[in-house]
Amino acid sequence: MISLFIALVLTLIISFIPEWFLKPRPNLPRSVASIAIHILTLSFIFNTIFLLIQRPYFSGLVALGTLCVFVIVSNAKFKTLREPLVFSDIAMFSQAFKHPRLYLPFLGIVPAIAAPIIAGALIFLVIKYEPAITLSLWSGLSLVFVLIVSMWLIRLFSLKLDLVQDPSIDIQKYGLLASLWGYSWQAKTSHHQDQIKATLQSSPMRKPVVEEVARPHVITIQSESFFDARRLHPSIKTSLLKNFDQLCSESKLSGRLNVPAWGANTMRTEFSVLTGIPSHKLGLYRFYPYQYLSSESIPSLASYYQQQGYYCVCIHPHPVSFFGRDRIFPKMGFDEFIDIESFNKNNTFGPYIKDAAVTEKIIETLAAQDKPVFIFAITMENHGPLHLEKTTEEDIARLYDESPPQPHNDLTVYLRHLKNADETLGELATELKELSGEAVLCLYGDHIPSMPDIYKATGYEDDQTDYFIWSNKDSSNHESKELAAEQLAEYLVSLNVPPPSRSESL
């Protein structure tokens, strides 16, 4: 038992070292509650492993290794997305194993290779040379009781934390483990859940059915990582987005879009656009809006259009289970979800289904219906990690007027995909102009792409993307206006409001 005590104490002392390398770094001194949560969490992991393996030093290594993994992942996320690890990321860990290309490359090659090797070597050495301590039944039951009390205390201290709900600030104030637990437990309180229910009830998408309104087809494209990259550097060809420029000039409305995400976290912008709810009103749910809302009916653009007699379809060349959309989208009012299984998986540009294939599905869906259609298309071609793709001298000549910034690989890869997105926009607009009825096309970027080295080299700090709302039958009265993501939904809904009668307009 002496070795058990020594191993636990050493584990707890050493556990404060990894946080020294955390970005942003936690402040010292910290509150008693945050220190208690840190110690209780490491003790909980230690005791759980010891109960299963009965080797104290091995248990300490597992506890410290778990903390180091959290720190490494948080630092990688902070570098690429300007946000440290938050509690909702833990819920998405399984996605990293199902779709490793979307996540693991951001950790870097060295950690990805070294971590399993080091872990395997330590496990082998400890199990080979550390003798097991045989626990009696009473000792085992006592340890289970300690685990239950530890979790109860973690919850108690977590609910006492005065969180500002800004991950960077809260990690500096309370440390990584305390902020993760604090967000997790406080998100589950009935008070927070009641606030979210009230927010959903006040959604601008809860509108009554209106008779005799205009019912154009409505196609909304959430274009992966789309923004006007010509703002990044003067060397980029101005003709890169020629179709986008043309559609903006013909559109009802266009401009910059304020989105609640940087470099990733598509679902945050997606939820705001579909529901018309500002991200900040979701409280702790804003980090992963779909996580706790699977049991609720969610007012959205789809449910609104469905009430108006529309057939509502989501088109996304990726598994429908990603982000739990298979559970959430039916509750939002979608009649159908066309996912990766409906695409030719070889029809790619780079690693993902190309935008042109999504455009083909949009046209096919419109042709297959004899009623107005609302289509919400989510593209994938621009998705990172961009640094895994390689460029050629031909790409540089085709995309730049002069020498690009250094390093330029990620940017060149992104521009290559962006040019494809622009070309398919032109093709889609041409197809829509041939329709007999009206079709409204809304395109927006969910976030700017993750290119930290490019932003550092160019000094770029703007997190806005771009959007336009265009009609195939009306190119008059163009307005340029900066919007927030949730305002797109309100504007699209306004298209179905009948014009005032003559007496009302006088």
Side-chain angles (χ1 to χ4, degrees):
M1 298 306 291
I2 294 176
S3 61
L4 176 63
F5 176 77
I6 293 173
L8 178 58
V9 170
L10 286 174
T11 298
L12 295 178
I13 292 172
I14 296 171
S15 69
F16 288 94
I17 296 176
E19 283 202 339
W20 184 257
F21 299 95
L22 192 65
K23 298 176 183 178
R25 182 184 296 171
N27 298 327
L28 290 175
R30 302 210 298 262
S31 68
V32 173
S34 65
I35 296 295
I37 293 171
H38 181 97
I39 291 174
L40 287 165
T41 302
L42 270 296
S43 299
F44 183 88
I45 299 172
F46 179 97
N47 289 326
T48 300
I49 301 302
F50 179 73
L51 185 64
L52 298 173
I53 307 298
Q54 300 180 12
R55 287 176 168 83
Y57 291 102
F58 176 79
S59 302
L61 286 174
V62 172
L64 292 172
T66 302
L67 177 59
C68 288
V69 168
F70 276 43
V71 170
I72 291 170
V73 171
S74 183
N75 285 349
K77 184 187 175 193
F78 189 76
K79 177 183 177 181
T80 55
L81 308 183
R82 302 191 174 189
E83 178 184 276
L85 196 68
V86 294
F87 77 109
S88 56
D89 295 324
I90 311 301
M92 291 192 287
F93 266 18
S94 62
Q95 302 281 15
F97 296 100
K98 293 178 182 177
H99 310 282
R101 197 183 193 285
L102 296 178
Y103 295 94
L104 298 184
F106 292 110
L107 294 177
I109 296 176
V110 174
I113 296 175
I117 294 174
I118 294 173
L122 289 174
I123 290 171
F124 172 79
L125 290 173
V126 171
I127 290 180
K128 182 176 177 63
Y129 294 106
E130 183 183 13
I133 299 175
T134 302
L135 290 175
S136 65
L137 177 61
W138 174 250
S139 297
L141 292 175
S142 299
L143 202 53
V144 171
F145 176 75
V146 169
L147 291 174
I148 294 172
V149 172
S150 297
M151 186 55 64
W152 179 80
L153 289 172
I154 288 172
R155 179 182 181 276
L156 180 66
F157 285 121
S158 297
L159 294 175
K160 291 182 178 297
L161 298 178
D162 184 20
L163 301 169
V164 298
Q165 298 184 13
D166 182 321
S168 294
I169 294 175
D170 286 327
I171 280 181
Q172 291 181 76
K173 187 175 181 180
Y174 298 114
L176 178 60
L177 296 179
S179 67
L180 290 174
W181 280 118
Y183 281 30
S184 180
W185 283 114
Q186 293 189 22
K188 296 174 183 177
T189 61
S190 58
H191 173 70
H192 192 74
Q193 291 177 350
D194 289 344
Q195 284 183 322
I196 300 306
K197 289 179 182 178
T199 298
L200 291 176
Q201 291 296 324
S202 64
S203 167
M205 297 301 102
R206 286 190 177 276
K207 291 181 175 291
V209 175
V210 181
E211 300 296 336
E212 298 182 2
V213 297
R215 288 188 172 87
H217 294 306
V218 179
I219 302 102
T220 300
I221 299 177
Q222 181 172 270
S223 186
E224 173 61 40
S225 302
F226 184 95
F227 84 116
D228 189 345
R230 294 171 297 188
R231 297 196 288 267
L232 271 171
H233 200 264
S235 64
I236 300 171
K237 285 184 178 291
T238 56
S239 60
L240 178 78
L241 295 174
K242 61 180 182 180
N243 292 308
F244 173 75
D245 289 340
Q246 180 65 32
L247 290 170
C248 283
S249 68
E250 299 173 356
S251 65
K252 295 172 176 287
L253 193 66
S254 68
R256 303 277 190 92
L257 189 68
N258 294 309
V259 294
W262 172 289
N265 292 310
T266 294
M267 69 289 194
R268 299 180 187 178
T269 304
E270 179 177 297
F271 190 84
S272 288
V273 169
L274 284 173
T275 64
I277 297 174
S279 182
H280 66 86
K281 287 192 175 182
L282 296 174
L284 291 169
Y285 290 1
R286 74 183 188 275
F287 299 109
Y288 186 7
Y290 300 150
Q291 185 176 4
Y292 290 107
L293 300 177
S294 58
S295 62
E296 299 290 331
S297 175
I298 304 171
S300 74
L301 278 171
S303 63
Y304 170 78
Y305 283 122
Q306 194 178 58
Q307 292 180 72
Q308 303 293 338
Y310 279 69
Y311 187 73
C312 300
V313 185
C314 180
I315 300 174
H316 183 35
H318 201 59
V320 63
S321 60
F322 196 71
F323 290 150
R325 291 187 179 108
D326 55 334
R327 295 178 292 103
I328 299 297
F329 274 46
K331 297 179 184 297
M332 284 185 156
F334 283 95
D335 298 297
E336 183 182 3
F337 197 116
I338 299 174
D339 78 338
I340 185 68
E341 296 303 322
S342 297
F343 287 83
N344 179 349
K345 295 179 182 178
N346 295 319
N347 195 7
T348 60
F349 189 95
Y352 306 111
I353 299 295
K354 57 187 178 182
D355 285 3
V358 177
T359 293
E360 290 174 7
K361 287 293 180 186
I362 291 173
I363 300 303
E364 289 175 10
T365 303
L366 290 173
Q369 295 296 323
D370 57 1
K371 60 194 298 188
V373 180
F374 169 63
I375 296 175
F376 185 70
I378 309 167
T379 68
M380 277 294 291
E381 184 183 325
N382 292 354
H383 207 295
L386 300 169
H387 64 273
L388 296 185
E389 298 181 57
K390 302 302 179 185
T391 59
T392 65
E393 290 298 323
E394 292 179 358
D395 291 324
I396 295 174
R398 190 166 59 96
L399 300 169
Y400 301 94
D401 284 324
E402 54 190 78
S403 297
Q406 297 295 331
H408 66 79
N409 184 79
D410 289 11
L411 177 59
T412 303
V413 170
Y414 174 69
L415 296 181
R416 188 167 61 194
H417 292 301
L418 195 62
K419 186 173 180 62
N420 288 346
D422 183 72
E423 290 174 356
T424 57
L425 268 179
E427 294 166 5
L428 178 58
T430 299
E431 292 283 351
L432 294 179
K433 287 177 180 178
E434 295 178 358
L435 295 178
S436 57
E438 184 179 6
V440 173
L441 173 63
C442 171
L443 175 131
Y444 68 92
D446 52 350
H447 51 72
I448 65 173
S450 177
M451 300 187 294
D453 293 337
I454 297 297
Y455 301 136
K456 183 178 180 180
T458 59
Y460 193 80
E461 295 290 334
D462 189 354
D463 61 356
Q464 291 179 313
T465 62
D466 297 88
Y467 79 93
F468 66 73
I469 299 175
W470 172 89
S471 168
N472 63 341
K473 301 299 181 184
D474 183 7
S475 60
S476 60
N477 301 320
H478 169 70
E479 181 182 4
S480 180
K481 187 177 183 180
E482 181 180 310
L483 292 182
E486 64 273 8
Q487 291 177 298
L488 277 180
E490 295 184 58
Y491 187 86
L492 287 170
V493 165
S494 73
L495 297 176
N496 287 69
V497 175
S501 65
R502 178 175 173 77
S503 60
E504 290 174 329
S505 61
L506 293 177

